[in-house]
Amino acid sequence: ATVKTDVIDALHKGCVNHGVDLRIYLSPWDMNQGGKGVWPNDAYNAYFVGQLKELLGGKYGSIGEIWFDGACGGANCPYTFVPVAAYRTNMWYDTIEALQPMAVIRLYDGFDYADANRWTGIQNGTQKLQWRGKEIRWCGNENGSGRSDEWSVQPVYQRSWGPEQANPDLGQESNYSSAVGAVWYQSEVNTSIGNHWFWHSGDYALKNLGDLQALYYNTAGNNANLLLNLLVDNRGLIPDDQIALLKSWNNWIDSTFTINLAKGAKATATAEKTLPEATGHEADKIIDNKRHTYWTTNGSWNSATSTARVTFEMSTPQTFDHIMVKEYVYDGQRIAGWNAEYYDAGSSTWK
């Protein structure tokens, strides 16, 4: 049957009505075009850029992100695996940059940091490692978690992605000694709310609230973006049980993280940024609930030698089981490590 509704327009209007940022998933791995023999070659790249121009040209407003799927691989792939070299990925990124300059881009698998000639210059220090700065990377699985310790800044060792991407500590300060540079390259974790990516009426199961709580800690709680897939049924609607689960999840997030028990505490620091730029960086700015104020000290930090301490004194005893720590990333990633201690009055010691 012919679909007469512009589904992207309907989605765009729904996002506008509800204050939701519209983001687009588009798969370079196109089985339909593969079946027509238009994949992969120059004709397909022109076709794909045409799709990008249609989606991003302004008809559907501001697009916050473009997510490219990976190419088909594995035993269940109905077509031969398509090497990334067959695509013209820089043409795609340039098109996005021209039409939606504020959109973040999920880079396609196998992206090169530079061509061979430029890479030689980067290695010998005559050229800089350059980066668009808005790219995001796939976490490498669809299980709902990334590295145990996730960092936005990533060291670069070779021209293309290499085995170091599997390093669970990649991004920590100790891993930069042999890197040629670093890029701002945030992780995005994608997983489904159910047991499939698409609707299967005869085989349908949902995650439970405990699963989504763990998902929140492993993504938003671990410095990663979350892409949660919903299973639209054969009516074209999100089923009621998924909606109920999302509402329960939202209620848990609100009840857990909305109330700041440190609000009103007395905050003091062993070091603070001094004049002429001191205002807005005192210790109490950590808990003033303002987006663009924060505590910091003078000079540069080193995880081995920096020992500045902030102490919070509560006016009344509080019981809690969560600590949320955030960094002012508008100035880049600068925190290399931290720890939390509490004062045990019984033993007169910090633990």
Side-chain angles (χ1 to χ4, degrees), residues 22-40:
L22 176 60
R23 303 186 171 209
I24 298 290
Y25 167 110
L26 185 63
S27 177
W29 174 58
D30 189 329
M31 288 187 292
N32 181 56
Q33 295 302 316
K36 296 177 180 179
V38 190
W39 176 55

Side-chain angles (χ1 to χ4, degrees), residues 44-114:
Y44 176 75
N45 279 284
Y47 172 84
F48 191 78
V49 169
Q51 288 184 315
L52 284 173
K53 290 180 177 179
E54 179 183 350
L55 290 169
L56 310 181
K59 179 180 179 181
Y60 308 118
S62 176
I63 307 299
E65 177 183 337
I66 313 299
W67 180 272
F68 290 143
D69 198 355
C72 178
N76 297 321
C77 183
Y79 299 106
T80 303
F81 183 84
V82 178
V84 174
Y87 296 124
R88 306 290 185 269
T89 52
N90 281 327
M91 183 189 301
W92 307 347
Y93 306 143
D94 290 342
T95 301
I96 297 170
E97 191 77 27
L99 298 176
Q100 295 285 344
M102 298 304 294
V104 295
I105 308 167
R106 185 265 162 138
L107 294 183
Y108 198 63
D109 295 321
F111 176 77
D112 291 336
Y113 292 106

Side-chain angles (χ1 to χ4, degrees), residues 258-269:
T258 298
I259 300 174
N260 183 1
L261 297 177
K263 185 177 181 181
K266 180 182 178 182
T268 56

Side-chain angles (χ1 to χ4, degrees), residues 204-251:
Y204 173 63
L206 284 184
K207 288 179 169 62
N208 57 42
L209 179 58
D211 295 329
L212 294 190
Q213 290 171 341
L215 178 63
Y216 192 80
Y217 289 128
N218 291 331
T219 54
N222 194 30
N223 194 40
N225 299 289
L226 171 61
L227 190 164
L228 181 62
N229 177 69
L230 303 182
L231 302 170
V232 178
D233 64 20
N234 50 15
R235 302 169 300 165
L237 301 175
I238 298 171
D240 290 342
D241 57 351
Q242 293 181 43
I243 294 174
L245 178 57
L246 291 173
K247 287 182 176 179
S248 296
W249 190 34
N250 181 74
N251 290 337

Side-chain angles (χ1 to χ4, degrees), residues 87-164:
Y87 296 124
R88 306 290 185 269
T89 52
N90 281 327
M91 183 189 301
W92 307 347
Y93 306 143
D94 290 342
T95 301
I96 297 170
E97 191 77 27
L99 298 176
Q100 295 285 344
M102 298 304 294
V104 295
I105 308 167
R106 185 265 162 138
L107 294 183
Y108 198 63
D109 295 321
F111 176 77
D112 291 336
Y113 292 106
D115 60 35
N117 291 332
R118 183 172 181 81
W119 182 252
T120 300
I122 292 171
Q123 286 180 304
N124 62 32
T126 60
Q127 295 196 56
K128 278 190 172 183
L129 179 67
Q130 292 185 326
W131 196 243
R132 294 173 191 258
K134 295 180 295 185
E135 287 81 352
I136 51 175
R137 56 188 159 85
W138 180 45
C139 69
N141 67 74
E142 297 174 348
N143 303 322
S145 64
R147 296 186 180 93
S148 59
D149 208 5
E150 193 60 77
W151 302 88
S152 299
V153 175
Q154 300 286 288
V156 175
Y157 301 98
Q158 50 191 343
R159 189 167 72 90
S160 300
W161 284 4
E164 75 281 347

Side-chain angles (χ1 to χ4, degrees), residues 2 5 52 65 107 194 199 227 248 253 293 298:
T2 301
T5 300
L52 284 173
E65 177 183 337
L107 294 183
W199 176 256
L227 190 164
S248 296
I253 293 172
T293 60
N298 288 320

Side-chain angles (χ1 to χ4, degrees), residues 13-20:
K13 290 176 180 175
C15 288
V16 170
N17 289 340
H18 294 281
V20 176

